[in-house]
Amino acid sequence: MESTRRGVVSDHPQAMRSLYCVVVIATVCIQLLMLTFVGSCEAREFKQAAEGSFEKEIKLEAYTDNSTNTPMHGPAVKSFQVSDGSWVDCVPVEQQIAAHHPALKDHIIRMETSASSLLNLPKSRRESELHPQCFGREYGGCPEGSIPVQRMSTDPNNPRQKKHRRKQQSPRTRTKHSNTTDPADPSAELPHQYAVVEGAPTLVGGYRGGGATFSVNGPVIADPSYEFSLSQLWIVAGIDSSNINTAEVGWQVYPAQHPSDKPRAPHLFVYWTSDDYQNTGCYNLGCSGFVQIDNTWVLGGAFSPYTTLAEHSKVEYEVTIYVVFDPNIPGWVLVIDNTVVGYWPSKIYNTLRTAADSVQFGGEIAPATIPTDTAMGSGAFASKGYPTAAYQRNVFYFDSAGKAFDADILVWAVTNPDCYTLLIEEKAPRKDWASFFFFGGPGGLNPACVS
């Protein structure tokens, strides 16, 4: 029988070669099909997003509840409870609260922006490719055609967003404030504390954005009922007038805004104002303004994991954030870890419509008392360096032509160096660091921090 099998093969060499070719071709086709199937998930999502902006225009549609005239998001198509205790509602992208802004009536949502061509900028280092936010890691994201909106209440039956009314202060005006309160008004908000850098000299034609890779830290908050600590990027215009406009983004530890989460958990935030923090603007999607297009990132959502001061010997957790002006919207596009999250339309601004006067980076705290034991950054002074102190690395700007360049020249300012510091060094601790700085401090835990 064995010789017969060999005889069959030797008697029909052409048939065997044909059979072999068929098997090889079939194998290759199956492999190509598998590769196409595996890769088609990302490719299909990208294609649908691109087609959506051309074949089917998506227009903002203000949702109105007949029982109230309060601006709000449309009804959720699906809701999730995240492990940190928060709730996320998936709202139709066209019915997000931005539709209520008077300047955005009939606004066509740009589901694809020119920022997509910049998605090869340096990425943050992570131990895994898992989403750095709890919601994205646990659920993957909202259904297609919807965006995640974090509820401002832990009650699953109360999904409405409430506007956050606390004013922030422009970092450029930080040196104009004294560390005292008005005796006639003891309830007046104390001046915020800053440790910031900005580019110098000012670019001719202004800035078109900027970005950096942030360490993600969990600083101690002394008064969880009021205080916050953050690391952020400011896009600022109107500095030399009384009409400051900003687009702001970063991480923030703010227990009063996230009472269900751990008191040191950092949360992603965006903020904006078009009248020097007087009557316009808010955090995240708490009012009409910012237009979100991504279905995985939660504005106000928690970062997990993050680094506390006690854990500084372990790996630093990072996130890369940048903002760039897109003239096709027109507006300021937010990109986080190479994902276009959304944009601030130019129409909501007056001095920040096409260019910024300044792009600033650094830390800020809102104190309840002066001094306060609330920490900035990791809680370590900047001189502790890597990996103990908080940092922003690979700091860069977009010039008036929209080209990115390293921030080789940085000027810095600190409101109270006995409480919080900032340090710019020449020698980078790692090869993948370009322009960088360390910042932070323990606040009142340092005996010299007295005012």
Side-chain angles (χ1 to χ4, degrees):
M1 292 293 291
E2 187 177 36
S3 60
T4 303
R5 290 194 187 99
R6 286 198 296 267
V8 170
V9 172
S10 61
D11 289 342
H12 302 280
Q14 184 64 39
M16 186 58 187
R17 284 194 296 270
S18 299
L19 178 62
Y20 177 78
C21 291
V22 169
V23 171
V24 170
I25 293 172
T27 302
V28 171
C29 289
I30 292 173
Q31 290 176 340
L32 290 174
L33 182 61
M34 291 178 67
L35 288 173
T36 302
F37 179 77
V38 171
S40 65
C41 182
E42 293 183 0
R44 183 168 61 250
E45 290 177 358
F46 181 84
K47 184 177 180 181
Q48 287 173 343
E51 288 178 348
S53 61
F54 294 102
E55 295 183 5
K56 180 183 177 182
E57 291 186 342
I58 303 177
K59 183 184 297 184
L60 285 176
E61 300 175 2
Y63 172 78
T64 302
D65 185 342
N66 292 331
S67 63
T68 177
N69 292 323
T70 305
M72 64 180 64
H73 299 280
V77 297
K78 199 169 186 178
S79 297
F80 301 90
Q81 185 171 25
V82 187
S83 61
D84 63 3
S86 65
W87 282 84
V88 172
D89 294 306
C90 297
V91 173
V93 64
E94 67 274 14
Q95 291 186 351
Q96 60 185 291
I97 199 170
H100 289 271
H101 197 289
L104 299 181
K105 184 179 180 181
D106 298 325
H107 176 77
I108 304 298
I109 303 173
R110 294 301 300 263
M111 298 300 292
E112 187 70 14
T113 74
S114 60
S116 301
S117 63
L118 302 171
L119 298 185
N120 59 349
L121 291 173
K123 297 181 180 180
S124 53
R125 295 190 310 274
R126 291 205 298 268
E127 288 185 308
S128 71
E129 292 303 315
L130 295 176
H131 200 286
Q133 279 192 317
C134 299
F135 172 71
R137 186 161 60 253
E138 294 169 16
Y139 296 105
C142 282
E144 182 184 349
S146 63
I147 61 166
V149 177
Q150 187 179 57
R151 296 181 190 174
M152 296 308 292
S153 169
T154 55
D155 180 2
N157 297 314
N158 181 22
R160 297 177 184 175
Q161 289 283 354
K162 297 179 181 178
K163 182 177 180 181
H164 193 282
R165 297 186 181 276
R166 171 184 290 186
K167 300 174 185 177
Q168 289 186 326
Q169 295 163 325
S170 167
R172 178 63 75 89
T173 62
R174 57 193 171 270
T175 58
K176 297 180 181 179
H177 299 290
S178 63
N179 292 324
T180 60
T181 56
D182 182 354
D185 184 12
S187 65
E189 184 177 355
L190 291 170
H192 293 199
Q193 302 291 299
Y194 295 95
V196 299
V197 301
E198 61 182 319
T202 302
L203 289 178
V204 175
Y207 295 89
R208 294 298 190 273
T213 294
F214 298 56
S215 62
V216 181
N217 304 97
V220 173
I221 305 298
D223 184 351
S225 68
Y226 181 86
E227 298 180 324
F228 69 66
S229 181
L230 59 77
S231 175
Q232 75 162 84
L233 156 68
W234 289 264
I235 308 294
V236 190
I239 292 177
D240 297 326
S241 69
S242 60
N243 194 14
I244 290 176
N245 286 205
T246 69
E248 308 175 30
V249 57
W251 60 256
Q252 182 179 48
V253 178
Y254 197 171
Q257 196 174 49
H258 306 282
S260 64
D261 204 355
K262 297 178 181 179
R264 298 177 65 177
H267 292 249
L268 171 67
F269 81 93
V270 301
Y271 196 94
W272 70 276
T273 181
S274 63
D275 62 355
D276 197 14
Y277 304 96
Q278 298 303 308
N279 300 305
T280 63
C282 62
Y283 280 108
N284 307 323
L285 299 178
C287 68
S288 56
F290 186 85
V291 177
Q292 182 159 345
I293 61 176
D294 178 65
N295 67 342
T296 63
W297 281 95
V298 181
L299 300 181
F303 284 101
S304 179
Y306 53 90
T307 307
T308 64
L309 183 58
E311 300 169 333
H312 66 79
S313 60
K314 299 180 181 179
V315 63
E316 281 280 4
Y317 297 100
E318 299 182 326
V319 61
T320 297
I321 301 173
Y322 68 88
V323 175
V324 59
F325 181 74
D326 183 348
N328 297 319
I329 295 178
W332 298 88
V333 179
L334 170 61
V335 181
I336 305 178
D337 276 355
N338 277 5
T339 296
V340 177
V341 177
Y343 54 90
W344 293 269
S346 292
K347 289 183 177 181
I348 68 174
Y349 294 113
N350 41 68
T351 61
L352 190 59
R353 284 184 173 263
T354 60
D357 299 332
S358 176
V359 180
Q360 304 168 354
F361 308 80
E364 175 187 358
I365 69 160
T369 60
I370 296 292
T372 175
D373 292 347
T374 286
M376 180 187 293
S378 69
F381 281 122
S383 59
K384 292 294 184 180
Y386 183 85
T388 307
Y391 59 84
Q392 291 186 25
R393 67 175 178 89
N394 293 350
V395 180
F396 69 94
Y397 300 92
F398 292 101
D399 65 10
S400 59
K403 296 181 180 179
F405 60 95
D406 289 336
D408 294 329
I409 303 176
L410 293 173
V411 294
W412 60 273
V414 175
T415 50
N416 193 334
D418 290 327
C419 305
Y420 312 101
T421 60
L422 188 146
L423 178 63
I424 301 172
E425 292 185 333
E426 293 293 332
K427 186 177 180 180
R430 297 176 62 100
K431 292 182 179 180
D432 57 348
W433 286 35
S435 181
F436 69 96
F437 64 93
F438 297 104
F439 71 97
L445 294 178
N446 178 34
C449 177
V450 294
S451 62

